[in-house]
């Protein structure tokens, strides 16, 4: 009974933590859109750091929850959390280069912004996953974990 109550309390506190950090992430995102997210000013540097802390808080409290990890949603969240850094590293450079230098993407952009977003999201995910596999391979090759 004690362990059951402890797990329920832990889950309640974790859910509160996840909700709190989701609200904080929303607030930081809205302020970023209002004041600018580019790194050529102090608000841009602050915004990126705060977003990283907020997203880290969501992941931290989410991983404290005790529930079945064998469902589709958990597998998807674990997959995204494993490869998100590689996706983040690559997506801005990839998207800017494609939007500015690719005639195909520019043509698709004039026809449908939704298809353009889908293509850029797909390419960002794939390039982030490839980047993460490369980093994991280099770490394994050199014996670092």
């Amino acid at each position: 009974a004690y362990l059951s109550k402890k797990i329920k309390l832990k889950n309640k506190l974790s859910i509160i933590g996840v909700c709190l950090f989701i609200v904080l992430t929303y607030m930081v995102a809205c302020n970023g859109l209002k004041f600018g997210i580019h790194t050529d000013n102090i608000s841009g540097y602050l915004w990126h750091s705060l977003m990283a802390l907020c997203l880290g808080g969501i992941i931290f409290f989410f991983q404290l929850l005790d529930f079945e990890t064998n469902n589709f949603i958990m597998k998807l969240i674990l997959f995204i959390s494993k490869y998100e850094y590689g996706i983040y590293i690559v997506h801005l450079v990839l998207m800017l280069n494609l939007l500015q230098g690719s005639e195909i993407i520019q043509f698709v952009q004039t026809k449908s912004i939704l298809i353009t977003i889908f293509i850029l999201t797909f390419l960002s995910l794939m390039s982030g996953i490839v980047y993460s596999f490369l980093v994991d391979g280099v770490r394994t090759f050199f014996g670092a974990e």
Side-chain angles (χ1 to χ4, degrees):
Y2 171 74
L3 289 176
S4 175
K5 288 180 182 177
K6 185 178 175 183
I7 288 174
K8 287 180 183 177
L9 177 63
K10 180 181 168 189
N11 277 348
K12 286 179 184 176
L13 292 174
S14 296
I15 290 170
I16 290 169
V18 167
C19 292
L20 175 71
F21 274 97
I22 287 173
V23 169
L24 285 172
T25 302
Y26 177 76
M27 291 169 50
V28 170
C30 288
N31 282 326
L33 292 174
K34 184 176 179 181
F35 296 111
I37 62 171
H38 303 290
T39 56
D40 58 351
N41 58 35
I42 192 68
S43 65
Y45 290 115
L46 183 62
W47 183 83
H48 285 281
S49 300
L50 289 175
M51 281 301 288
L53 288 173
C54 289
L55 294 173
I58 292 171
I59 292 170
F60 174 77
F61 282 107
F62 196 80
Q63 61 93 22
L64 290 177
L65 291 170
D66 288 326
F67 56 90
E68 182 63 39
T69 60
N70 217 5
N71 60 42
F72 174 76
I73 294 172
M74 274 306 297
K75 287 180 181 179
L76 181 64
I77 290 171
L78 291 172
F79 177 81
I80 291 171
S81 67
K82 180 176 181 182
Y83 296 111
E84 63 86 22
Y85 187 70
I87 293 166
Y88 173 76
I89 291 291
V90 174
H91 83 279
L92 283 176
V93 174
L94 177 73
M95 285 187 191
L96 287 177
N97 283 334
L98 287 174
L99 286 172
Q100 294 171 356
S102 172
E103 293 178 12
I104 294 172
I105 295 295
Q106 290 171 356
F107 175 75
V108 172
Q109 186 179 10
T110 61
K111 300 297 180 190
S112 172
I113 193 68
L114 291 176
I115 294 174
T116 306
I117 291 170
F118 175 77
I119 291 170
L120 292 176
T121 302
F122 177 77
L123 290 174
S124 296
L125 287 171
M126 291 301 107
S127 61
I129 291 168
V130 169
Y131 173 83
S132 295
F133 279 127
L134 290 173
V135 169
D136 288 342
V138 169
R139 285 184 184 153
T140 303
F141 180 76
F142 287 108
E145 290 297 324

